[in-house]
Amino acid sequence: MELRHLRYFVAVADEKNITRAAERLNIAQPPLSRQIQQLEEELGVVLIEKGSRPLRLTEAGRFFHAHAQELLDKAQDLKAMTRRVGKIERKLSIGFVASTLYGLLPEIVRRFRDRYQTVEISFHELTTIDQLKALKEGTIDVGFGRLKGEDAAIRRIVLREEPLIVALPVGHRLTQQPGPLRMSELMDDPLIVYPKTPRPSFADQVLATFRERMLVPRQVIEVRELQIAIGLVGAGQGIAIVPDSLQGMIRTDVVYRPIDDRQAVSPIIFSARAMDRSQELADMLAIIYEIYEERHIAYVPEAL
Ligand code: BEZ
């Protein structure tokens, strides 16, 4: 059995259709069917139920699918890591969700640059889900995102649970109220959430925060990105729930207020390829925890 067989089988299982799988793999359909047949013969088990449309996996097929995907991810990881080890120059490519840029990310990178001047750093703004893909493809080496999730090919560390705050248009009645706001006080205004796609996203995290408290916002407006959400708040179209670090985005038409609920948080998650134990990643993590300590920011102790 070769990696090619795993790749072919995973494509067929994902697409549930031989024609679409062949297109995805850029090969003709008859050789693809032959390879799947060979694989079943070699394993001595049926992986795909005969005659099913769309194609359905047998129990053995489902088992094989899950593990084949894991092996393919590991092979990809191995390729990216070996290339990296073989390169003389030191590089670190960082994926980040926009909100982290208004928080500690610039300071972390400044400190890293000062300390490790020979490492070439590049940046890619990516949603958490796109970061996972970019890590597997080797486009980025580390991602800073906000969605929790399981993926055997990715090492994920929850750095901290960042408080959520509310962004209100200047002059809004709630800006006059002293003290933190309760979530139940935020029901009357349209709620602007981002990003619209891909899902799940930070938008779902915010909507879940309301749902968990049995609260239903009057109207939800989904927008493409953070800057648009804040711009619309400034224009008086509604309110937005955002991470605390957004206070770094200073606008004269938006007022930020804390929320009176310790559970209203959004995690900041470090993601890297599971096998990647490079010095650059260790140095970056050390700087992050150093800054948390200096600023007395509550963080989740690294669970390694
Ligand atoms: C933070 O705000 O905790 C953070 C932001 C970006 C990268 C790492 C940590």
Side-chain angles (χ1 to χ4, degrees), residues 100 103-105 108 144 159-160 268 288 292:
T100 57
L104 295 179
L105 187 59
I108 293 165
F144 294 109
L159 296 172
R160 67 184 178 110
I268 297 184
I288 293 170
Y292 287 165

Side-chain angles (χ1 to χ4, degrees), residues 158-170:
V158 177
L159 296 172
R160 67 184 178 110
E161 299 282 356
E162 185 177 12
L164 292 173
I165 57 170
V166 55
L168 301 161
V170 71

Side-chain angles (χ1 to χ4, degrees), residues 50-118:
K50 297 293 166 235
S52 56
R53 296 279 180 282
L55 296 181
R56 260 196 322 272
L57 301 184
T58 60
E59 194 185 341
R62 285 195 297 277
F63 176 84
F64 189 76
H65 183 212
H67 292 275
Q69 183 64 64
E70 223 171 274
L71 278 175
L72 287 173
D73 287 344
K74 283 217 170 93
Q76 188 63 31
D77 202 355
L78 180 63
K79 207 154 69 179
M81 276 305 295
T82 309
R83 283 194 184 126
R84 194 181 157 135
V85 169
K87 281 186 188 148
I88 299 128
E89 77 271 34
R90 296 179 73 203
K91 281 189 176 168
L92 189 65
S93 189
I94 301 173
F96 62 94
V97 293
S99 61
T100 57
L101 209 52
Y102 296 97
L104 295 179
L105 187 59
E107 180 173 354
I108 293 165
V109 172
R110 252 195 325 271
R111 205 172 282 201
F112 188 92
R113 267 192 212 289
D114 286 349
R115 220 169 272 178
Y116 308 104
Q117 292 175 7
T118 55

Side-chain angles (χ1 to χ4, degrees), residues 15 32 45 59 101 139 143 161 164 169 199 222 243 292 295:
E15 298 293 340
L32 176 58
V45 289
E59 194 185 341
L101 209 52
T139 326
E161 299 282 356
L164 292 173
R199 305 301 271 264
E222 294 180 343
Y292 287 165
R295 297 203 181 183

Side-chain angles (χ1 to χ4, degrees), residues 34 36 47 51 72 95 129 181 189 210 223 227 229 239 250 293:
R34 259 196 314 277
I36 300 292
L47 298 172
L72 287 173
I129 289 186
L181 300 173
D189 296 273
F210 280 95
V223 298
Q227 287 80 355
I239 63 170
I250 296 162
E293 290 282 345

